[in-house]
Amino acid sequence: VYVAVGDNTYSNKPLICQSPDAISWACQNMTPSMPNNYVGFDSVSYGSGVFVAAGYSGLGYYSTDNGNTWQQDNISSSNTIYSMVYGNGTFVAVGIGSNSYTSANAQSWIPHSINAMYPLKTVMFDGTNFWASGYNETFISSDGVNWDIHLIAPSYTINDMIYVPNL
């Protein structure tokens, strides 16, 4: 199944689209209970039978039925989530603020201080460690909770990362 997330520019509502074949898509506007006028999704992840979508002001939704129905469960009370990943039985989310957020089930999120000076734009899992990066900073963690700084490119912004095993 394919799942894509974003926002509906006409209604200012978060949007989740699902497809069995990446040709025909069914999209649905979410109606979150959020105090903000604009909300949208920036990231989607999958792990252990659960899809998670996240974005503006900590907005979070999860699906346990292959993306057919979605339930709201915010990740943060105010910080936008830019990126999420699943690894070692844990979802990890990062974004604005100096926290990472972890969850085993995508329904209950725990904030952890990462001591980032700037927003983190991306997080990935390489099979052993989580990597989070953004403006001038990159962090590494084996559990998504405890982070150490690991510079990749000082004075540069890392917007996304990917790990490809056995390449």
Side-chain angles (χ1 to χ4, degrees):
V1 74
Y2 297 84
V3 173
V5 300
D7 55 86
N8 184 328
T9 55
Y10 298 106
S11 68
N12 285 336
K13 296 206 183 258
L15 181 71
I16 299 176
C17 301
Q18 180 211 27
S19 173
D21 55 12
I23 296 170
S24 61
W25 290 84
C27 296
Q28 51 187 315
N29 287 314
M30 300 292 109
T31 307
S33 55
M34 299 285 286
N36 304 334
N37 290 333
Y38 171 78
V39 291
F41 293 119
D42 289 310
S43 184
V44 64
S45 186
Y46 178 82
S48 193
V50 180
F51 281 101
V52 186
Y56 190 78
S57 291
L59 176 67
Y61 273 77
Y62 68 92
S63 172
T64 59
D65 62 359
N66 295 326
N68 293 309
T69 60
W70 294 81
Q71 306 297 318
Q72 184 177 354
D73 188 28
N74 295 344
I75 294 170
S76 164
S77 62
S78 62
N79 290 328
T80 295
I81 302 300
Y82 289 132
S83 183
M84 290 183 302
V85 70
Y86 181 83
N88 278 352
T90 303
F91 289 97
V92 175
V94 299
I96 293 177
S98 60
N99 289 329
S100 67
Y101 302 87
T102 59
S103 177
N105 60 13
Q107 299 172 35
S108 177
W109 293 87
I110 301 167
H112 308 281
S113 179
I114 199 169
N115 293 321
M117 293 178 57
Y118 304 101
L120 296 169
K121 304 285 282 177
T122 185
V123 64
M124 74 165 189
F125 183 70
D126 68 8
T128 303
N129 292 303
F130 295 95
W131 294 78
S133 194
Y135 306 109
N136 302 323
E137 301 173 304
T138 300
F139 298 88
I140 186 171
S141 172
S142 62
D143 58 9
V145 175
N146 302 296
W147 295 86
D148 293 314
I149 195 157
H150 183 88
L151 296 178
I152 291 177
S155 301
Y156 293 94
T157 298
I158 304 296
N159 289 321
D160 206 357
M161 294 186 291
I162 188 170
Y163 168 73
V164 181
N166 304 318
L167 185 62

